[in-house]
Structures are given as structure tokens and as C-alpha cells.
């Protein structure tokens, strides 16, 4: 009797569960708690930057002392920016992060230009830089003391990026990729902190033993390059980039400020100790000559450090893919991006087209680009629009004083952050006019696209033709499905 009842009840439960599942709305899930928000922020900040930016910061600042000041200043500036974004995230609760902040505060034109630059310049170039760092650290131990061949580095970089995409797609077949990706980010964040610990602890031990010879004459003016400081700012802020990861994905507004403050402060302390460890072991000339600073610094741990650094880059790529796909998803829902990017899988609840269509651009950037040239290329657009977003925060305060303010920063924080960002962006034209001008041209190329495709309404004849075509196709599809069902029966 019990067996027969079980046979009867179980199908009913399955049917009820199936019916309930079918009635659920398909939407992009918000499943990021405080711990996962902290993990996502740290995982996005601590990545390839701390392992490749020391060379760029030192090269463009001129000496060890100024480079350490630049690292600390970039950390404080990142904290200011994180606090501004925390307020933006509590005032503007719509999902979409940076894109929504610009859209709600400055209007549709700046938001579209940001989206245009993000898709065609910032995101693919950033992913290419991280992928190239991944390739460098994977191959460096096999070719030391010589440099790894550039074609081999590019090949490994492309393989690493595509393997990550494949893993995300494969695991999402059985579970929602939002939850899986967040869990993966927790693990990779621990690995990144372990990599930093293995660099910091030996360096601090050597420093405690009195190895301070590399800090002698740290502020030498012979190699000081003030005109290149904006590029040092770009390299330093690239290492901290990740604090502006989409705050609208957090479950509760209280998690937003707490997560960004704790994350940025922890990364500032870790980065300062890491750079001191670098300079304790290596001279300035050694840092400038190395393509993989962490490997050269601790050759005794060469079997461990490259693996941990590669996994660190892997985690940064995972965080970038996870967050930027949401931006494209929201932009398509706002009518400023092709509707294809708003499509999400009915079981995975993720915008897979937004992820897959980024692959050709990343591949092209990796094939033709260099780490530091790509860094200067996309940093112009990135910090231009980040500065505009914090400017929009100031404007939004005065336009909408009636809105609730669960979290508010003093006015001097967004004001100083905006001025510094826009000043650095303007001065970078003098520091690297070629690649910065290319980045500026990418932004300007979005103007005709906006006025021709977004701001102007579609002509009635085109809209009628499109609608008729759509309905005819849909009716034909229904007819074919009904005909097939009749033939099967």
C-alpha cells in the first residue's frame, strides 16, 4: 500500500514542482551576500595588477620612494571612489552598476558612450591584459632566466580565457552560474591572499634582518619623471580596479558600504606590504627588467608562486565576466544595446550571449596588443567615465534632495575624486599621446552611433515592416509546430 501510494504521490509532487517552476519568472538573480560581496570585490581587485603594475608604476614615477607614494595615493583615491560608489549604490538601487549610475545622473548620451567604450575598448582590453599576465606567469618558470616567447604567451593567454568561458558554461548546465561563480570567487580570493602572503612574509623577514640597501637614496631626482605620473596613476589604479564592481548586485544596502570599505582598506595594506617586499629583494633595475616580478623576487618559491599568480589572474577574469555580462543585460533592457544581450537562459538565468559575443574582441586585443600599451589605451576611457559618474553623484544630490540617503559621504570626497580623475585623464594626453588618443577616438566614435541609432526614432515604415515580419515568422512557427504535432499523433 505504501509503495503504491508513493508511486501515486511522487509523480504528483513532480508535476506540482514542474508547474511551479514553469510559473517562475525568468530574471537575472541577485544572490550576493556580504561575504560574497567582499570576496567578489577582493577577487576583482587582487589579480594581475599587483603582479605587473609595480613595473609600470616604477617606470613612470622614476624612483622607489615616489612609486610607493603613488601606490598609497592610488589606494586612498580608490577608497574615495569606493565610498562614492557605495552612496551611488544606495541611492540608485537598480541593477547595472556603473552604467545605471551614469544613466540616472547624467542622462542617456553619456551612459551610451560609456557602454560603447566599455564594450569595444575597456572590457576587451582589460581582459586581454589579465590574460597576457596569466600567460606570462604560466610560462616564465619554463624559460627563466630568459623571457618567454611572445607568441607562446599570447597562445596560453587565449587558452586560459577560453577555458574559463567553457568552465562557466559547463558548470551552469546543472546549477545557476551566479551561485557557482560566486563560490568559485570565494575560493580564488583565498588563493590570491595566499599568493600575497607568500610574497609579503619572506620580504618582511628580510627587512627585519636589516636588508634596507635597496631603499637607500629612494627619492633620487635623477630618474624622476613628473610628466609621466598620469601613466603611473593608470598603472596603480589598474591594480586597485575592481572596487567599482556592481554595487547594485548586493542583497541589502548595508552590505554595500561595509563590503567596499573593508575590501579596499585590506587591499591597500596588502599592496603596500607587497611592494615593500619587492623592493627589499630586488633593485629598481631588476623590477624594470622583469616581466614577472613575483617570480623573479622569490625564485626559491618559483614552483608555487606562478601557479598562485595564474589562479589569481583566473579569478580576476571570472569576476570581470560575471559582472560585465550584467551591464550588457541591463543596457539592452534599457533600449541602448541590441536585444540579443538581454536574452538569458531559462535554466541558468545568465546572459550567455553577452558573455560569448565578447570573445572575438578579447582575442583580437590579445593577438595585437601589449600589456602596457593596452593599459594606457583603455585607462583613458575607464577613468574618464568613473570621474563622470562621481560628478553625476554631486549633480544628483542637488537635483533630488528629497531622496532617502541611507549612506552619504562628505562632499569633498566625490569632489576631490572627480577633479583628480579628470585632471589625470587630461594630462595623460601629454604622457602617451598615441594610445590615449586612440582611446579618446573610441569614445568619440560612439557619438554618430548614438544619434543615428538610439536618439532618432525608427521610421514608421521600418517599424511596420519589422513588426509584420516578426508576426509572420511567429505565426509560421506556430503553424509548423501544430502541423508536426498532428503528424506525430
Amino acid at each position: 500500500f505504501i509503495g503504491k501510494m508513493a508511486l501515486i504521490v511522487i509523480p504528483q509532487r513532480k508535476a506540482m514542482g514542474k508547474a511551479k517552476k514553469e510559473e517562475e519568472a525568468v530574471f537575472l538573480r541577485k544572490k550576493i551576500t556580504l561575504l560574497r560581496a567582499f570576496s567578489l570585490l577582493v577577487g576583482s581587485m587582487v589579480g594581475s595588477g599587483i603582479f605587473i603594475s609595480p613595473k609600470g608604476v616604477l617606470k613612470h614615477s622614476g624612483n622607489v620612494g615616489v612609486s610607493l607614494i603613488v601606490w598609497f595615493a592610488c589606494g586612498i583615491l580608490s577608497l574615495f571612489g569606493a565610498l562614492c560608489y557605495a552612496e551611488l549604490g544606495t541611492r540608485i538601487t537598480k541593477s547595472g552598476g556603473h552604467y545605471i549610475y551614469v544613466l540616472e545622473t547624467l542622462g542617456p548620451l553619456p551612459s551610451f558612450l560609456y557602454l560603447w567604450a566599455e564594450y569595444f575598448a575597456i572590457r576587451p582590453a582589460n581582459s586581454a591584459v589579465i590574460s597576457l599576465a596569466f600567460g606570462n606567469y604560466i610560462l616564465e618558470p619554463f624559460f627563466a632566466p630568459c623571457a618567454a616567447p611572445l607568441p607562446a604567451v599570447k597562445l596560453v593567454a587565449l587558452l586560459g580565457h577560453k577555458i574559463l568561458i567553457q568552465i562557466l558554461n559547463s558548470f551552469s548546465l546543472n546549477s545557476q552560474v551566479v551561485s557557482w561563480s560566486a563560490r568559485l570567487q570565494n575560493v580564488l580570493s583565498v588563493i590570491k591572499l595566499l599568493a600575497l602572503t607568500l610574497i609579503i612574509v619572506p620580504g618582511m623577514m628580510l627587512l627585519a634582518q636589516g636588508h634596507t640597501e635597496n631603499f637607500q637614496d629612494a627619492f633620487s631626482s635623477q630618474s624622476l619623471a613628473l610628466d609621466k605620473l598620469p601613466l603611473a596613476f593608470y598603472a596603480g589604479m589598474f591594480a586597485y580596479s575592481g572596487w567599482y564592481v556592481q554595487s547594485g548586485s548586493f542583497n541589502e544596502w548595508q552590505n554595500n558600504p561595509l563590503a567596499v570599505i573593508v575590501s579596499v582598506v585590506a587591499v591597500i595594506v596588502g599592496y603596500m606590504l607587497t611592494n615593500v617586499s619587492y623592493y627589499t629583494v630586488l633593485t629598481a633595475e631588476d623590477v624594470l627588467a622583469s616581466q614577472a616580478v613575483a617570480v623573479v623576487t622569490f625564485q626559491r618559491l618559483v614552483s608555487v608562486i606562478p601557479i598562485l599568480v595564474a589562479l589569481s589572474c583566473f579569478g580576476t577574469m571570472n569576476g570581470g565576466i560575471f559582472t560585465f555580462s550584467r551591464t550588457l543585460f541591463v543596457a539592452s533592457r534599457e533600449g541602448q544595446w541590441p536585444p540579443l544581450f538581454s536574452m538569458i537562459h531559462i535554466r541558468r538565468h545568465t546572459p550567455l550571449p553577452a558573455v560569448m559575443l565578447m570573445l572575438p574582441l578579447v582575442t583580437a586585443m590579445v593577438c595585437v596588443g601589449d600589456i602596457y600599451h593596452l593599459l594606457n589605451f583603455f585607462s583613458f576611457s575607464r577613468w574618464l567615465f568613473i570621474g563622470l559618474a562621481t560628478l553625476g553623484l554631486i549633480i544628483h544630490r542637488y537635483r533630488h534632495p528629497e531622496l532617502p540617503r541611507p549612506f552619504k559621504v562628505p562632499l569633498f570626497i566625490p569632489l576631490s575624486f572627480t577633479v583628480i580623475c579628470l585632471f589625470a585623464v587630461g594630462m595623460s594626453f601629454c604622457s602617451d599621446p598615441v594610445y590615449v588618443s586612440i582611446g579618446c577616438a573610441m569614445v568619440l566614435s560612439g557619438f554618430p552611433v548614438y544619434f543615428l541609432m538610439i536618439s532618432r526614432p525608427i521610421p514608421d515604415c521600418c517599424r511596420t515592416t519589422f513588426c509584420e515580419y516578426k508576426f509572420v515568422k511567429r505565426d509560421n512557427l506556430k503553424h509548423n509546430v501544430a502541423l508536426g504535432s498532428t503528424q506525430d499523433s
Side-chain angles (χ1 to χ4, degrees):
F1 178 78
I2 296 177
K4 292 181 180 179
M5 287 296 294
L7 290 175
I8 296 173
V9 172
I10 289 175
Q12 289 178 349
R13 288 181 177 176
K14 287 185 177 180
M16 292 175 61
K18 187 175 181 180
K20 184 178 180 180
K21 190 173 182 179
E22 290 177 353
E23 291 177 358
E24 288 184 353
V26 178
F27 60 93
L28 203 59
R29 308 291 182 181
K30 289 186 178 182
K31 288 193 169 183
I32 304 180
T33 61
L34 175 59
L35 176 61
R36 290 182 178 178
F38 174 81
S39 174
L40 183 61
L41 288 165
V42 172
S44 297
M45 283 188 285
V46 180
S48 60
I50 187 57
F51 305 112
I52 64 174
S53 288
K55 178 179 178 179
V57 173
L58 179 60
K59 178 181 178 180
H60 298 301
S61 59
N63 57 54
V64 173
V66 175
S67 68
L68 291 176
I69 293 176
V70 169
W71 276 104
F72 182 75
C74 288
I76 297 300
L77 193 63
S78 297
L79 180 59
F80 281 11
L83 292 173
C84 295
Y85 269 58
E87 180 177 345
L88 282 169
T90 58
R91 294 172 65 92
I92 304 172
T93 57
K94 295 173 62 176
S95 180
H98 190 107
Y99 166 74
I100 286 296
Y101 301 157
V102 176
L103 177 64
E104 295 292 327
T105 59
L106 298 179
L109 176 58
S111 65
F112 176 80
L113 293 178
Y114 160 74
L115 195 66
W116 179 266
E118 182 78 11
Y119 185 81
F120 289 103
I122 300 174
R123 185 58 55 178
N126 183 73
S127 299
V129 168
I130 298 170
S131 300
L132 289 170
F134 173 84
N136 275 323
Y137 273 93
I138 285 290
L139 295 179
E140 186 76 15
F142 298 99
F143 294 91
C146 300
L150 186 59
V153 171
K154 292 180 180 292
L155 179 61
V156 173
L158 290 174
L159 288 176
H161 189 269
K162 288 175 173 56
I163 287 172
L164 176 61
I165 298 293
Q166 184 61 38
I167 290 176
L168 290 176
N169 290 339
S170 299
F171 273 82
S172 62
L173 288 173
N174 298 319
S175 62
Q176 294 177 7
V177 74
V178 175
S179 299
W180 181 87
S181 180
R183 293 192 189 99
L184 174 64
Q185 202 67 33
N186 291 339
V187 176
L188 293 176
S189 296
V190 174
I191 293 175
K192 295 173 185 183
L193 296 179
L194 178 60
L196 290 183
T197 302
L198 290 177
I199 294 173
I200 292 171
V201 172
M204 292 298 103
M205 292 175 63
L206 290 175
L207 187 63
Q209 295 172 3
H211 294 273
T212 59
E213 57 273 9
N214 293 338
F215 293 96
Q216 302 296 328
D217 200 16
F219 290 91
S220 174
S221 59
Q222 295 180 355
S223 57
L224 187 63
L226 295 178
D227 60 324
K228 299 293 184 180
L229 279 180
L231 302 183
F233 164 83
Y234 282 167
M237 294 300 288
F238 169 72
Y240 286 99
S241 61
W243 49 261
Y244 53 86
V245 73
Q246 295 170 345
S247 305
S249 300
F250 299 165
N251 287 345
E252 298 176 358
W253 71 264
Q254 292 90 343
N255 294 347
N256 191 342
L258 182 60
V260 295
I261 292 173
V262 174
S263 302
V264 175
V265 171
V267 172
I268 290 174
V269 174
Y271 279 8
M272 292 301 299
L273 294 177
T274 302
N275 279 278
V276 171
S277 297
Y278 285 151
Y279 294 131
T280 300
V281 179
L282 300 176
T283 63
E285 292 75 14
D286 293 333
V287 173
L288 293 175
S290 174
Q291 294 293 333
V293 181
V295 173
V296 178
T297 304
F298 300 101
Q299 294 181 355
R300 294 180 181 178
L301 297 173
V302 71
S303 61
V304 177
I305 291 295
I307 297 175
L308 296 179
V309 173
L311 289 174
S312 177
C313 298
F314 192 82
T316 305
M317 286 189 288
N318 174 59
I321 293 171
F322 176 62
T323 54
F324 183 58
S325 60
R326 287 178 174 267
T327 301
L328 297 178
F329 174 84
V330 174
S332 60
R333 289 293 175 91
E334 294 289 337
Q336 289 197 333
W337 208 245
L340 175 63
F341 293 88
S342 65
M343 297 180 182
I344 59 178
H345 198 278
I346 194 170
R347 293 192 311 273
R348 303 171 193 174
H349 304 283
T350 52
L352 291 182
V355 176
M356 300 305 296
L357 292 176
M358 183 64 67
L359 279 175
L361 293 174
V362 176
T363 302
M365 295 283 185
V366 170
C367 291
V368 303
D370 170 75
I371 286 181
Y372 295 101
H373 291 161
L374 289 172
L375 184 61
N376 296 337
F377 162 68
F378 76 83
S379 291
F380 168 83
S381 304
R382 166 175 283 179
W383 297 108
L384 170 64
F385 287 104
I386 288 178
L388 291 178
T390 53
L391 175 64
L393 171 62
I394 300 174
I395 296 174
H396 197 261
R397 278 187 180 183
Y398 287 96
R399 285 181 177 176
H400 305 281
E402 74 284 355
L403 292 179
R405 300 176 182 177
F407 178 77
K408 181 182 178 181
V409 295
L411 181 60
F412 83 92
I413 290 181
L415 185 61
S416 59
F417 182 84
T418 302
V419 171
I420 293 173
C421 281
L422 297 182
F423 176 77
V425 166
M427 291 298 296
S428 64
F429 279 100
C430 301
S431 304
D432 190 358
V434 176
Y435 289 95
V436 172
S437 298
I438 295 175
C440 180
M442 288 297 299
V443 177
L444 296 178
S445 65
F447 275 97
V449 178
Y450 175 81
F451 287 110
L452 292 176
M453 305 296 295
I454 305 299
S455 65
R456 293 179 60 183
I458 301 176
D460 294 336
C461 58
C462 296
R463 181 182 290 109
T464 303
T465 304
F466 174 75
C467 292
E468 290 177 354
Y469 174 78
K470 180 173 65 174
F471 285 122
V472 167
K473 293 289 289 183
R474 188 173 65 181
D475 293 339
N476 290 339
L477 179 61
K478 290 181 178 179
H479 175 71
N480 293 334
V481 171
L483 181 61
S485 302
T486 303
Q487 291 175 354
D488 293 339
S489 60

